[in-house]
Amino acid sequence: MKKNPYLNIILFILTFISTLVVGAMHEGINVLEEPLKVYKGFPFSFALLTILLAHEFSHYIASKKHRIEASLPYFIPAPTLFGTFGAVIKMKSPITTKTHL
């Protein structure tokens, strides 16, 4: 039974928003006073999310290659220095060999 990726998508969108806001703040924008200038955080958000996407999807693709059942990445939004706590995937089947690990 396949699960719908709604939670994964919602968490990614929230993480995009949180990294966008933090990126704008790094540029000196007060997003509460000037919310329309939040776009200035796009380079920060894009760079950070590209790294996270590449890293987590590498785990996901490797899991599929070795026939290990794994979830899509769950992104973790957070109002921190980076706007995120990162991302994780959930491995749903055991890893049976060192090669698969």
Side-chain angles (χ1 to χ4, degrees):
M1 179 169 94
K2 295 280 182 186
K3 238 183 139 179
N4 290 328
Y6 296 123
L7 179 59
N8 305 80
I9 293 168
I10 290 168
L11 287 172
F12 180 79
I13 291 168
L14 291 173
T15 303
F16 172 71
I17 292 168
S18 66
T19 56
L20 189 67
V21 169
V22 169
M25 290 170 61
H26 284 296
E27 291 293 319
I29 305 300
N30 183 338
V31 293
L32 296 176
E33 292 178 5
E34 302 174 289
L36 296 179
K37 289 189 177 182
V38 74
Y39 71 89
K40 291 192 176 198
F42 184 76
F44 176 83
S45 180
F46 179 78
L48 188 57
L49 291 179
T50 299
I51 293 166
L52 283 174
L53 275 168
H55 181 87
E56 293 304 324
F57 269 102
S58 295
H59 287 301
Y60 181 77
I61 291 166
S63 295
K64 293 300 178 187
K65 176 184 173 190
H66 293 291
R67 295 188 176 106
I68 296 171
E69 191 177 343
S71 70
L72 288 170
Y74 291 98
F75 289 82
I76 308 167
T80 64
L81 182 62
F82 299 111
T84 181
F85 284 133
V88 296
I89 64 168
K90 181 179 179 185
M91 299 179 86
K92 299 176 182 178
S93 59
I95 300 170
T96 57
T97 68
K98 278 188 192 180
T99 304
H100 293 168
L101 181 59

